[in-house]
Amino acid sequence: MLDKLKKEVLEANLELANRGLVVYTWGNVSGIDREKGLIVIKPSGINYEDLTLEKMVVVDLQGNIVEGEYKPSSDTATHLELYKAFSEIGGVVHTHSEWATSYAQAGEAIEPLGTTHADYFYKSIPCTRDMLSSEIQGDYERETGKVIVETFKQLNPMEVPAVLVKEHGPFTWGKTPYDAVYHSVVLEEIAKIAYKTNIIKNHHCKHRMKEELLDKHYLRKHGNKAYYGQGK
Amino acid sequence: MLDKLKKEVLEANLELANRGLVVYTWGNVSGIDREKGLIVIKPSGINYEDLTLEKMVVVDLQGNIVEGEYKPSSDTATHLELYKAFSEIGGVVHTHSEWATSYAQAGEAIEPLGTTHADYFYKSIPCTRDMLSSEIQGDYERETGKVIVETFKQLNPMEVPAVLVKEHGPFTWGKTPYDAVYHSVVLEEIAKIAYKTNIIKNHHCKHRMKEELLDKHYLRKHGNKAYYGQGK
Amino acid sequence: MLDKLKKEVLEANLELANRGLVVYTWGNVSGIDREKGLIVIKPSGINYEDLTLEKMVVVDLQGNIVEGEYKPSSDTATHLELYKAFSEIGGVVHTHSEWATSYAQAGEAIEPLGTTHADYFYKSIPCTRDMLSSEIQGDYERETGKVIVETFKQLNPMEVPAVLVKEHGPFTWGKTPYDAVYHSVVLEEIAKIAYKTNIIKNHHCKHRMKEELLDKHYLRKHGNKAYYGQGK
Amino acid sequence: MLDKLKKEVLEANLELANRGLVVYTWGNVSGIDREKGLIVIKPSGINYEDLTLEKMVVVDLQGNIVEGEYKPSSDTATHLELYKAFSEIGGVVHTHSEWATSYAQAGEAIEPLGTTHADYFYKSIPCTRDMLSSEIQGDYERETGKVIVETFKQLNPMEVPAVLVKEHGPFTWGKTPYDAVYHSVVLEEIAKIAYKTNIIKNHHCKHRMKEELLDKHYLRKHGNKAYYGQGK
């Protein structure tokens, strides 16, 4: 059942690995068939190189396994909460990708700092609040999803298709599983340049090299008497 | 028409991707035939792996499509302003490459800090001013080009073949499309080492390791009684 | 003798190199046969591409060579101390991997900052104390092992399968040689994101890009009048 | 003539490129035949992929071209000064590798911070003084060599086979061209971890994640009731 969606979810999982966003088994992609109310998701703890269509797991929106020999990703309940709350999304991704995870660990939102961000995200990429002890000790993965949904109370998830879960890592989503992976790649790139932008803002100094050395090197390559290379 | 230039522009676009300067479709290269007054440019939103000679778009200096089935890069009007103002250039590149974009987002020029910079750029690599609301809400991409040209009022674009557009990213240029890509690669490298240089200047500390441990490790490999490796 | 263990240790050494954790010969993996009380370890100073089953060295827990034409890794005595003190471990790894080594050089433990850490390490990853002059000038590599064991007096080595040796680099361990390498990979990733997390905590600023530029770029791609790409 | 040395120098140049230490033509390796007093060096401005034995240039210690159709590297005079002053060396390398160049641009020596440094360098890796205007405007490349030699007045070049030329980049050397490249690779690695070590020293904070979240994640993978993965 759901062969087309399984293929999409399998390929999206492999794309995630090919883009360098996962180490070992640290990530998972799911997709939903809205009509049937069924989700296809990566099995838990299986290496990407061992993934096949047959190993994909089908669950319903309550998390019951409908098809598959394997246990679904341990983060399945989080995915389900997102599908229930965000009616336009068709795919969800979770990773521990290094730059986005570092922002999540720091507990800081990623503010829009340039057009790369603006091309994909209409606002800051928010970071969730601390989870309560009762949430951590209760139905933890489901509560994680609920905290994400709470974070988007005033936000349109289609305009900001990503979140940082505090002291954990990013989730992204999109109209399809591929779109959700696309947003993971973009989020990672945006986190990386936001980090560097802030460092430059804090550390820029007006120091310049010795002017004569600048002249010497520019002119030995480009001046009338240039002597670098083999001449023309 | 313009088969040779199309080939140059196609190859320069692919070189940009091979050098790791673009994610997805985030970059574009164009080239100009000065005699005919025509520009060849990458089509908008097409992946690099799908680019072919046939997909290249030919526009005139007013931005009218002269040949091609696709829409040209959404940044075409910026390229055109550069060709009009900088009469010696034959190619233009725009990227969101991570290091140069971080400087652009920070709004800081890249000062010359060493001979790597001096070998290619005779001055600081400038960052443009903030765009006005009227510029953003008007003919935005053309205004972007005009702001770049304004930034070069006192500068020779052949001596400084790159600019950082504030809160956006870098544009570079050169005598040919390949040269323009070459300058994008060099700019990225220079931005990277400028960043690190400034960090070192701010964070260097005079701390050293325990002297005896230094001796021990050096001498177990290089001393008279060295015992690392298989001996001679 | 010990053919199966030799194969495991060889493959674990190669995995270490494939994962990008070693430069030249800067790392070594060993494994133990607890019944026989024998350890298989990489030969000293041999390049990874030249490693074969025949070159593996077998030593006993006193460090006597039991089989092999080559000298064992110069760090063998450190491995032996770990096998003697930590009875549940089956493999040990030492590297100079860049992020973990930087923490070791700084003399700082890696505090748990997020769930990536928590998934593998139940506490901080400790850094050893300075070695005494007598330890450095005595049986140095054995003393290194003893200082690691001392660091774990209050810690369960199975719950924290890694240590940073001050001004030196990381050691990791596990139930098998492969597990020990797995922990080296995870440690490196955790060190990397801990570093970035701390930078973000120190350098985050609330600055945002110009709001109108954000609107412009988001809407030229996603608004009703979007004009990026080839349309639908 | 000098076929064996030419092969060594060619291979060392290619090794430099394979190790990722050069962008475009930004580096060069030479080797010396001490008996004949002749040096083989890379031609100026030739891409690594185009290098062949025939293109190597032979010069004498005064810089006269003895064999070869191409002009030698523009840094040849610097190499010659090193061969004249450091009688035990057989190969010299110059690069603009990113980490070492950043230290050179910052004008800071690389202090020994750990055993990775100590395994190869017995002291700090020094940075030269500013060059005088007369040196820059005189026989610049030869003066660069002389400033390096001056920096080593109190140092043994065999114990510290590398230097940072201020606002320029690193030079390394060794008994053979391959050794000199080996030292460039090691220097780059040491510069990288020195940089990170200093950042950690300046930015370490004692903050830790929420303790219950740590417990939750560790125990869902490793506790008695672990539910991550497919079970045993």
Side-chain angles (χ1 to χ4, degrees):
Chain A
M1 68 191 294
L2 296 174
D3 285 349
K4 185 164 161 292
L5 183 59
K6 275 183 193 165
K7 189 155 176 286
E8 276 185 70
V9 172
L10 172 60
E11 286 175 359
N13 272 288
L14 298 178
E15 170 79 355
L16 200 63
N18 289 338
R19 289 278 174 177
L21 295 191
V22 289
V23 174
Y24 293 123
T25 59
W26 305 357
N28 42 71
V29 185
S30 69
I32 190 169
D33 181 318
R34 287 279 174 190
E35 280 189 28
K36 300 207 173 79
L38 295 176
I39 287 97
V40 174
I41 192 163
K42 181 179 174 295
S44 182
I46 303 291
N47 287 319
Y48 288 91
E49 55 268 36
D50 299 327
L51 282 187
T52 60
L53 281 182
E54 293 70 37
K55 285 181 184 151
M56 294 293 124
V57 187
V58 181
V59 297
D60 63 22
L61 277 163
Q62 285 67 50
N64 302 303
I65 299 181
V66 173
E67 191 188 70
E69 294 169 53
Y70 291 88
K71 284 168 57 184
S73 165
S74 54
D75 298 310
T76 299
T78 311
H79 290 237
L80 298 183
E81 288 307 304
L82 300 183
Y83 285 121
K84 285 191 271 188
F86 302 160
S87 61
E88 294 179 67
I89 68 176
V92 171
V93 174
H94 172 48
T95 77
H96 288 226
S97 66
E98 68 181 269
W99 296 97
T101 299
S102 297
Y103 269 93
Q105 291 194 160
E108 297 285 0
I110 302 174
E111 306 294 342
L113 296 173
T115 64
T116 319
H117 184 119
D119 280 339
Y120 297 95
F121 298 94
Y122 201 27
K123 310 270 172 178
S124 303
I125 297 158
C127 186
T128 60
R129 62 164 170 79
D130 276 315
M131 291 184 76
L132 304 175
S133 301
S134 58
E135 290 166 339
I136 293 172
Q137 283 158 14
D139 192 352
Y140 169 65
E141 290 81 7
R142 188 169 305 274
E143 298 292 351
T144 301
K146 287 187 174 170
V147 171
I148 294 172
V149 173
E150 176 191 318
T151 305
F152 275 73
K153 232 183 316 190
Q154 311 292 333
L155 284 172
N156 178 345
M158 299 313 283
E159 287 179 359
V160 183
V163 72
L164 306 168
V165 176
K166 190 167 178 186
E167 297 182 346
H168 190 156
F171 281 78
T172 64
W173 46 83
K175 290 186 181 169
T176 64
Y178 177 84
D179 272 357
V181 171
Y182 188 100
H183 290 146
S184 282
V185 174
V186 171
L187 170 64
E188 186 66 1
E189 200 67 21
I190 286 170
K192 180 165 64 179
I193 59 178
Y195 174 101
K196 291 174 179 173
T197 301
N198 280 324
I199 295 283
I200 294 167
K201 278 193 160 298
N202 277 284
H203 286 284
H204 197 71
C205 54
K206 294 300 182 191
H207 169 82
R208 294 165 58 104
M209 70 189 295
K210 196 174 163 82
E211 200 68 24
E212 279 161 315
L213 187 60
L214 174 65
D215 282 2
K216 174 66 187 178
H217 266 259
Y218 188 78
L219 297 173
R220 82 172 187 166
K221 274 194 109 158
H222 306 279
N224 293 333
K225 301 183 182 168
Y227 56 92
Y228 179 93
Q230 300 297 331
K232 308 282 157 124
Chain B
M1 69 189 297
L2 295 173
D3 286 348
K4 186 164 160 291
L5 183 58
K6 276 184 193 164
K7 190 156 176 286
E8 276 184 71
V9 172
L10 172 61
E11 286 174 359
N13 272 288
L14 298 179
E15 170 79 356
L16 200 62
N18 289 338
R19 288 279 173 177
L21 296 191
V22 289
V23 173
Y24 293 122
T25 58
W26 304 357
N28 41 70
V29 184
S30 69
I32 190 170
D33 181 318
R34 288 280 175 192
E35 280 189 28
K36 301 206 173 79
L38 296 176
I39 288 96
V40 175
I41 192 163
K42 182 179 173 294
S44 181
I46 303 290
N47 288 319
Y48 288 91
E49 54 269 35
D50 299 327
L51 283 186
T52 60
L53 280 182
E54 292 70 36
K55 287 181 182 151
M56 295 292 124
V57 187
V58 181
V59 298
D60 65 21
L61 276 162
Q62 285 69 49
N64 303 304
I65 299 182
V66 173
E67 190 187 70
E69 294 169 53
Y70 290 89
K71 284 168 57 184
S73 166
S74 54
D75 299 309
T76 299
T78 312
H79 290 236
L80 299 182
E81 288 308 303
L82 300 183
Y83 286 120
K84 285 191 271 188
F86 303 160
S87 62
E88 293 179 67
I89 69 177
V92 171
V93 174
H94 172 48
T95 77
H96 289 227
S97 65
E98 68 180 269
W99 296 97
T101 299
S102 297
Y103 269 94
Q105 290 194 159
E108 296 285 0
I110 301 173
E111 306 293 343
L113 295 174
T115 64
T116 319
H117 185 119
D119 281 339
Y120 297 95
F121 298 94
Y122 200 28
K123 309 271 173 178
S124 303
I125 298 157
C127 187
T128 60
R129 62 163 170 81
D130 275 316
M131 292 185 74
L132 305 175
S133 302
S134 58
E135 290 166 339
I136 294 172
Q137 283 158 13
D139 192 354
Y140 169 65
E141 290 81 8
R142 187 170 306 276
E143 297 293 351
T144 301
K146 288 188 172 170
V147 172
I148 295 172
V149 173
E150 175 191 319
T151 306
F152 275 73
K153 233 185 314 192
Q154 312 292 332
L155 283 171
N156 179 344
M158 299 314 283
E159 288 179 358
V160 182
V163 72
L164 306 168
V165 176
K166 190 167 179 186
E167 297 182 344
H168 190 156
F171 281 79
T172 64
W173 46 83
K175 291 186 181 169
T176 64
Y178 177 84
D179 272 357
V181 171
Y182 188 99
H183 289 146
S184 282
V185 174
V186 172
L187 169 64
E188 186 66 1
E189 200 68 21
I190 286 170
K192 180 165 61 179
I193 59 178
Y195 175 100
K196 291 174 179 174
T197 301
N198 280 324
I199 295 284
I200 294 167
K201 278 194 159 298
N202 277 284
H203 287 283
H204 198 71
C205 54
K206 294 299 182 192
H207 169 81
R208 295 164 56 104
M209 70 190 295
K210 196 174 163 81
E211 201 68 26
E212 280 161 315
L213 187 61
L214 173 64
D215 282 2
K216 173 67 188 178
H217 266 258
Y218 188 77
L219 297 173
R220 81 172 188 166
K221 273 194 110 159
H222 305 281
N224 292 333
K225 302 183 182 167
Y227 56 91
Y228 179 92
Q230 300 297 332
K232 310 280 158 124
Chain C
M1 67 190 299
L2 295 175
D3 286 347
K4 185 164 161 291
L5 182 59
K6 274 183 193 164
K7 190 155 175 286
E8 276 184 71
V9 172
L10 172 60
E11 286 174 0
N13 272 288
L14 297 179
E15 170 79 357
L16 200 63
N18 289 338
R19 289 279 174 176
L21 296 191
V22 289
V23 174
Y24 293 123
T25 59
W26 303 358
N28 42 71
V29 185
S30 69
I32 191 168
D33 181 320
R34 286 280 175 191
E35 279 189 27
K36 300 207 171 80
L38 296 176
I39 287 97
V40 174
I41 193 163
K42 182 180 174 291
S44 182
I46 302 291
N47 288 319
Y48 287 91
E49 55 269 35
D50 299 328
L51 282 187
T52 60
L53 281 182
E54 293 68 39
K55 286 180 182 152
M56 294 293 124
V57 188
V58 181
V59 298
D60 64 21
L61 276 163
Q62 285 68 51
N64 302 304
I65 298 181
V66 172
E67 192 188 68
E69 293 169 52
Y70 290 88
K71 284 168 57 185
S73 165
S74 54
D75 299 311
T76 299
T78 311
H79 291 235
L80 298 182
E81 288 307 305
L82 299 184
Y83 286 121
K84 285 192 271 186
F86 303 160
S87 62
E88 293 179 66
I89 68 176
V92 171
V93 173
H94 172 49
T95 77
H96 288 226
S97 66
E98 68 181 269
W99 296 97
T101 299
S102 297
Y103 269 93
Q105 290 194 160
E108 297 285 0
I110 301 173
E111 306 294 343
L113 296 174
T115 64
T116 319
H117 184 118
D119 280 340
Y120 297 95
F121 298 94
Y122 200 27
K123 310 268 173 182
S124 303
I125 297 158
C127 187
T128 59
R129 63 164 170 79
D130 275 316
M131 293 185 75
L132 305 175
S133 302
S134 58
E135 292 167 338
I136 294 171
Q137 282 158 14
D139 192 353
Y140 169 66
E141 290 83 7
R142 187 170 306 274
E143 297 292 352
T144 301
K146 288 188 173 171
V147 171
I148 295 172
V149 172
E150 176 191 320
T151 305
F152 275 73
K153 231 185 315 190
Q154 311 293 332
L155 283 172
N156 178 344
M158 299 312 283
E159 288 179 357
V160 182
V163 72
L164 306 168
V165 176
K166 190 167 178 186
E167 296 182 346
H168 191 156
F171 281 78
T172 63
W173 47 82
K175 290 186 180 167
T176 64
Y178 177 84
D179 272 357
V181 171
Y182 188 100
H183 289 146
S184 282
V185 174
V186 171
L187 170 64
E188 186 67 0
E189 199 68 20
I190 287 171
K192 180 165 62 180
I193 58 178
Y195 174 100
K196 291 174 179 174
T197 301
N198 280 323
I199 295 284
I200 294 167
K201 278 194 161 299
N202 277 284
H203 286 284
H204 197 72
C205 54
K206 294 299 181 190
H207 169 81
R208 295 164 57 103
M209 70 190 294
K210 195 175 165 80
E211 200 69 25
E212 280 160 315
L213 187 60
L214 173 64
D215 282 1
K216 174 67 187 178
H217 266 258
Y218 187 78
L219 297 174
R220 81 173 187 167
K221 273 195 109 159
H222 305 280
N224 292 332
K225 302 184 182 166
Y227 56 90
Y228 179 92
Q230 299 297 331
K232 309 281 158 124
Chain D
M1 69 190 296
L2 296 174
D3 286 347
K4 186 164 160 291
L5 183 59
K6 275 183 194 164
K7 189 154 175 287
E8 276 184 70
V9 172
L10 171 61
E11 286 174 358
N13 272 288
L14 298 180
E15 169 80 354
L16 200 63
N18 289 338
R19 289 279 174 177
L21 295 191
V22 289
V23 174
Y24 292 123
T25 59
W26 304 357
N28 42 70
V29 184
S30 70
I32 190 169
D33 181 318
R34 287 279 175 193
E35 280 189 27
K36 300 206 173 80
L38 295 177
I39 287 96
V40 175
I41 193 163
K42 182 179 174 293
S44 182
I46 302 291
N47 288 318
Y48 287 92
E49 55 269 34
D50 298 328
L51 281 187
T52 61
L53 281 182
E54 293 70 37
K55 287 181 182 152
M56 295 291 123
V57 187
V58 181
V59 297
D60 64 21
L61 276 162
Q62 285 68 51
N64 302 304
I65 298 181
V66 174
E67 191 188 70
E69 294 169 54
Y70 290 89
K71 284 169 56 185
S73 165
S74 55
D75 299 309
T76 299
T78 312
H79 290 236
L80 299 182
E81 288 307 304
L82 300 183
Y83 286 120
K84 285 192 271 188
F86 303 159
S87 62
E88 293 179 67
I89 69 176
V92 171
V93 174
H94 172 49
T95 77
H96 289 226
S97 65
E98 68 179 270
W99 296 97
T101 299
S102 297
Y103 269 93
Q105 291 194 159
E108 297 284 0
I110 301 174
E111 305 295 343
L113 295 174
T115 63
T116 319
H117 184 118
D119 281 340
Y120 297 95
F121 298 94
Y122 201 27
K123 310 268 173 182
S124 303
I125 298 158
C127 186
T128 60
R129 63 164 169 79
D130 275 316
M131 294 186 73
L132 305 175
S133 302
S134 58
E135 291 166 339
I136 293 171
Q137 282 158 15
D139 192 353
Y140 169 66
E141 290 81 8
R142 188 170 304 275
E143 298 292 351
T144 301
K146 287 187 173 170
V147 172
I148 295 172
V149 172
E150 175 191 319
T151 306
F152 275 73
K153 233 185 313 191
Q154 312 292 331
L155 284 171
N156 179 344
M158 299 312 283
E159 288 179 357
V160 182
V163 72
L164 306 168
V165 176
K166 190 167 178 186
E167 296 181 345
H168 190 156
F171 281 79
T172 64
W173 46 83
K175 291 187 180 168
T176 63
Y178 177 84
D179 273 357
V181 171
Y182 188 100
H183 290 146
S184 282
V185 174
V186 172
L187 170 64
E188 186 67 0
E189 200 67 21
I190 287 170
K192 180 166 61 179
I193 57 178
Y195 175 99
K196 291 174 179 173
T197 300
N198 279 324
I199 295 283
I200 294 168
K201 278 193 161 298
N202 277 285
H203 286 284
H204 198 71
C205 54
K206 294 298 182 192
H207 169 82
R208 295 165 57 104
M209 69 189 297
K210 195 174 164 81
E211 200 69 25
E212 280 160 315
L213 187 61
L214 174 64
D215 282 2
K216 174 67 188 179
H217 266 258
Y218 188 77
L219 296 174
R220 80 172 189 167
K221 274 193 107 159
H222 305 282
N224 292 332
K225 302 183 182 167
Y227 56 90
Y228 179 92
Q230 300 297 331
K232 308 283 155 122

